[in-house]
């Protein structure tokens, strides 16, 4: 069997960083902007950036419904920050009328940390990894609520309690932070293992 082709949704955001991280791991990575490009991939990464812009562009490129359809029928996907928002079934504090793609049975709170501190970095312990990752949070969401099939892989403590910042549901993975920034590829490795497994 040929190795899986991993698409990176390339409408906006840190596309290059994801392609580089995947390529460094020996994966076959390609950008996705059009429906025929989406049809050709076995898995998809949804980058960090601006979720409202990505949804607008996805609609303009005729990609919104094809994305929803593939996610609804089991496309493995990895969303980081804005990508986590896109994968979420439900959103709070979104822009007026903000839509998502869905697939992941979670509620995200957009710009959640912004009420305390806009952007920050720090070590995050992730279930399944021996050493913490360096989490880069930029106007990040957190996970407000998870469905029964969702495993919380990491949490961050704030003044008002602990909030999930990395989750997994089957072959869907999402983080509030940006593993594509820096050279720690363990979360991309984890995703590739999910795709292959
Ligand atoms: N706040 C952004 C959004 O709503 C996400 C920020 C990011 O991806 N770094 O899409």
């Amino acid at each position: 069997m040929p190795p899986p082709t991993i698409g990176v949704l390339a409408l906006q955001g840190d596309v290059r960083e994801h392609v580089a991280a995947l390529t460094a791991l020996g994966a076959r990575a390609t950008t996705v902007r059009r429906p025929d490009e989406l049809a050709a991939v076995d898995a998809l990464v949804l980058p960090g950036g601006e979720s409202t812009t990505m949804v607008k562009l996805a609609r303009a490129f005729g990609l919104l419904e094809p994305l929803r359809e593939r996610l609804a029928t089991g496309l493995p996907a990895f969303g980081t920050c804005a990508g986590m928002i896109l994968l979420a079934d439900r959103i709070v504090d979104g822009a007026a009328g903000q839509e998502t793609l869905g697939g992941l049975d979670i509620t995200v709170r957009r710009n959640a940390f912004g009420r305390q501190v806009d952007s920050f970095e720090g070590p995050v312990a992730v279930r399944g990894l021996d050493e913490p990752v360096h989490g880069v949070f930029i106007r990040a969401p957190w996970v407000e609520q998870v469905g029964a099939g969702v495993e919380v892989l990491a949490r961050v403590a704030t003044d008002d309690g602990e909030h999930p910042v990395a989750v997994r549901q089957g072959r869907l993975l999402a983080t509030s932070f940006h593993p594509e920034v820096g050279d720690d590829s363990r979360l991309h490795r984890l995703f590739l293992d999910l795709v292959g497994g």
Side-chain angles (χ1 to χ4, degrees):
M1 245 182 29
T5 300
I6 316 291
V8 178
L9 186 64
L11 299 171
Q12 187 266 340
D14 44 12
V15 175
R16 254 184 315 162
E17 290 82 348
H18 275 294
V19 170
L22 293 163
T23 307
L25 289 171
R28 193 206 306 216
T30 179
T31 54
V32 168
R33 262 182 222 98
R34 297 193 315 256
D36 61 311
E37 292 169 337
L38 176 64
V41 300
D42 303 300
L44 187 69
V45 172
L46 301 103
E50 177 48 55
S51 55
T52 54
T53 305
M54 285 191 222
V55 168
K56 259 183 228 153
L57 291 172
R59 186 175 283 114
F61 281 62
L63 207 52
L64 194 59
E65 289 314 319
L67 279 167
R68 286 186 168 142
E69 207 169 291
R70 288 243 24 216
L71 289 166
T73 53
L75 179 71
F78 179 19
T80 66
C81 200
M84 172 191 259
I85 296 173
L86 293 181
L87 286 180
D89 281 345
R90 297 166 298 278
I91 177 171
V92 289
D93 279 356
Q98 183 170 357
E99 293 181 81
T100 69
L101 302 173
L104 192 51
D105 185 9
I106 62 170
T107 305
V108 284
R109 181 176 292 278
R110 183 165 175 252
N111 298 339
F113 295 95
R115 289 175 297 171
Q116 328 205 10
V117 53
D118 207 27
S119 300
F120 60 98
E121 311 187 3
V124 180
V126 179
R127 195 160 172 182
L129 301 182
D130 293 341
E131 300 290 328
V133 301
H134 181 71
V136 176
F137 295 80
I138 305 167
R139 294 185 307 284
W142 70 43
V143 178
E144 192 86 3
Q145 177 268 337
V146 300
V150 179
E151 184 187 3
V152 174
L153 302 180
R155 292 186 165 81
V156 161
T158 68
D159 296 345
D160 56 5
E162 289 206 325
H163 305 279
V165 294
V167 293
R168 185 200 144 186
Q169 172 191 320
R171 296 202 289 174
L172 298 177
L173 180 68
T175 62
S176 302
F177 51 93
H178 291 271
E180 68 276 22
V181 174
D183 54 11
D184 183 346
S185 57
R186 287 175 294 162
L187 279 156
H188 288 86
R189 176 82 266 158
L190 186 70
F191 179 57
L192 293 178
D193 291 345
L194 291 180
V195 173

